[in-house]
Amino acid sequence: MNNDFEQLKERDERSVCHTYGRYPLAAAQAKGTRIYDPTGREYTDLLAGVAVVNLGHCRPELTQVMANQAQKMVHVSNLLYQEEQVACAEKLLSTCGANKVFFCNSGAEANEAAIKLARRYMQKIKNKDAFEIITLEGSFHGRTLATLAATGQDSLKEWFAPMPQGFITVPFDDISALENAISPKTAGVLIELVQGEAGVRPLSPEYVSALARICREKDILCLVDEVQTGMCRTGKFWAHQHFGLKPDIFTSAKALANGLPIGAVLATDEAAKGFEPGTHGCTFGGGPIVCAVASKVMDIMLDKDMAERAKKMGEFALSLFTEVKDEFPDKIHEVRGKGLMLAIELCFPGKDVWSALLDKGFVLNLTQGNVLRLLPPLIIEKQDFTRFAAALREVLGG
Ligand code: PLP
């Protein structure tokens, strides 16, 4: 570890709140699928800033849009009409079955807004005393108080009591548990189709179709958190498109503007009736720079069929990881994934493996203590996975 790094680390510890378990790595530059430390050492990015830079770092077309828009108009407020925001909403809607968009700045804010929309729709528009949101064990929906209350991981809620009321967590992928939890107070069910923080856990197709049926029969809302799974990550533009699911409300953030802060709630015309002027808002939401960039992101993703690329590359990566698993059956418990949302679950705590891989120049995430989670930029190349698999073999064999 060089002196400059130690100094930066010390300054960080002195001046920045200690909310993150940082990696022993400082990033000075990033381009495409590579991150460079201040000494110029190259790392292969298999994390994409946690599923954010899906089109790679500093993509020139996006940098250009950013720079142009920064010279034209940066912020005027949501009290004025803005071409960039409307165009971005139209583009978003062209990718899915939703009819209306609300813009904000992050995943948590998008989920918070989705929860507010669900409650207000049920109470004001449907005239029901329904407010409860059912979520699943292992889920992660954000760090604001309401989205934390919605999150199905008790450890994250410790010492933040009292939690906002109106959230119930039910076991993952358990249809009867879901049916039993529904009451006249239920406003909707909020799910991730592939749980990210929980270690890349996909819901079964049976569960998803039962969920759709239950929401229809009980006249409650189906809400999908696509903050991590959206934007071509899982091999479709939106993960719900794998299942033919038509959510009443779903959320996006992370990769939508490839690194600029943005969040979006997408709703059907019916569900969107829950928001009327003055009922919700966001100062920075839908600003011209992020919206211009997000529109360009979507253009590129559609033009280059990034969803198909994610699907194919994900299959390639999984086949490589399966070979490694077969060589080390007592070390790798399972490899799984959808598109480029990938996990290698180890049979033991994975800190040392994760750390050795970082030493070998691969940036990825360790979640749940033993799951190596890979969320690479969707532009990742096959040889990057081949090099990673070789490094993993070395680490596991060493
Ligand atoms: N929902 C999901 C599924 C996420 O993975 C995350 C972040 O990891 C969030 C919500 C929260 O997003 P943000 O950190 O932008 O608030």
Side-chain angles (χ1 to χ4, degrees), residues 20 50-52 105-111 139-144 147 151 191-192 194-197 225-229 251-254 262-263 341 373 375:
Y20 303 102
V50 198
V52 170
N105 307 300
S106 68
E109 264 186 64
N111 286 332
S139 61
F140 183 81
H141 297 297
R143 302 279 192 168
T144 63
T147 57
T151 289
I191 55 157
E192 288 163 89
V194 184
Q195 289 188 341
E197 299 295 311
D225 178 342
E226 292 258 19
V227 166
Q228 189 166 146
T229 53
T251 53
S252 173
K254 285 193 182 281
I262 187 169
M341 199 168 169
R373 181 170 54 147
L375 301 161

Side-chain angles (χ1 to χ4, degrees), residues 292-359:
V293 172
S295 291
K296 188 70 182 173
V297 166
M298 289 184 274
D299 281 344
I300 296 171
M301 285 189 169
L302 293 168
D303 184 45
K304 308 261 182 225
D305 202 354
M306 294 310 288
E308 187 57 23
R309 188 169 208 285
K311 177 173 175 280
K312 295 233 169 79
M313 290 304 269
E315 285 165 1
F316 176 77
L318 273 186
S319 69
L320 281 184
F321 300 168
T322 305
E323 283 171 22
V324 184
K325 177 186 179 306
D326 292 345
E327 285 165 47
F328 297 94
D330 53 336
K331 297 203 169 158
I332 297 181
H333 173 66
E334 188 180 51
V335 298
R336 56 179 177 268
K338 207 159 181 63
L340 283 171
M341 199 168 169
L342 299 160
I344 301 168
E345 183 170 340
L346 302 171
C347 304
F348 52 90
K351 186 87 193 287
D352 291 348
V353 172
W354 168 83
S355 174
L357 289 166
L358 185 65
D359 280 347

Side-chain angles (χ1 to χ4, degrees), residues 30-34 45 48 52-63 66 233 255 257-259 297 300-301 306 376-380:
K31 182 83 189 147
T33 56
R34 300 292 190 262
D45 186 4
V52 170
V53 287
N54 282 11
L55 292 177
H57 297 277
C58 292
R59 193 172 174 113
E61 304 101 296
L62 299 177
T63 306
M66 234 180 271
R233 170 62 54 191
N258 206 58
V297 166
I300 296 171
M301 285 189 169
M306 294 310 288
L378 309 184
I379 58 167
I380 195 91

